Amino acid sequence: QVQLVESGGGLVQPGGSLRLACAASGSICSIYAMGWYRQAPGNQRELVAFITSTGSTNYADSVKGRFTISRDNAKNTVYLQMNSLKPEDTAVYYCHAPDRGGMHYWGKGTLVTVSS
């Protein structure tokens, strides 16, 4: 089992920045990637970014150049630095981690609201 706990959400004005963090615990050796999804009201959950155990990253087109995903292996934590935030970035952001056994783990989510 893997537990994921997100932090760092909140209210920010358009053009502002936030940094989300996701701390993993439990059977973390089985995880081969970690990432962030988001879900806005009325929309499906969508992939924002992920980073593999080897450091490879991938981003949704909508956030490329604005968001950066990184990891601190010593702290078992993944970060999502979000810059130049737009109202359309408003959503609940979920941390996600798949393991080599085919299990998918999710955090409870953290709300990001971009509004003036």
Side-chain angles (χ1 to χ4, degrees):
Q1 289 288 327
V2 174
Q3 294 78 43
L4 303 173
V5 179
E6 304 102 333
S7 61
L11 173 64
V12 63
Q13 292 186 343
S17 298
L18 279 177
R19 189 177 79 155
L20 306 183
C22 173
S25 61
S27 302
I28 57 177
C29 292
S30 64
I31 296 173
Y32 66 86
M34 290 183 69
W36 292 93
Y37 283 71
R38 66 185 181 187
Q39 187 168 19
N43 290 358
Q44 290 187 329
R45 193 171 295 189
E46 62 176 3
L47 175 67
V48 177
F50 70 82
I51 184 167
T52 69
S53 57
T54 59
S56 297
T57 59
N58 195 23
Y59 297 91
D61 287 343
S62 60
V63 307
K64 282 180 181 177
R66 300 188 298 122
F67 291 11
T68 302
I69 191 169
S70 61
R71 62 192 299 162
D72 184 335
N73 291 331
K75 296 182 178 180
N76 298 321
T77 299
V78 169
Y79 302 96
L80 185 68
Q81 178 66 43
M82 305 185 294
N83 299 328
S84 303
L85 282 161
K86 305 175 181 180
E88 51 264 43
D89 294 317
T90 295
V92 178
Y93 284 71
Y94 296 91
C95 185
H96 170 255
D99 74 10
R100 295 178 177 85
M103 293 291 292
H104 291 262
Y105 300 96
W106 294 91
K108 293 183 178 180
T110 185
L111 177 63
V112 172
T113 303
V114 184
S115 175
S116 54

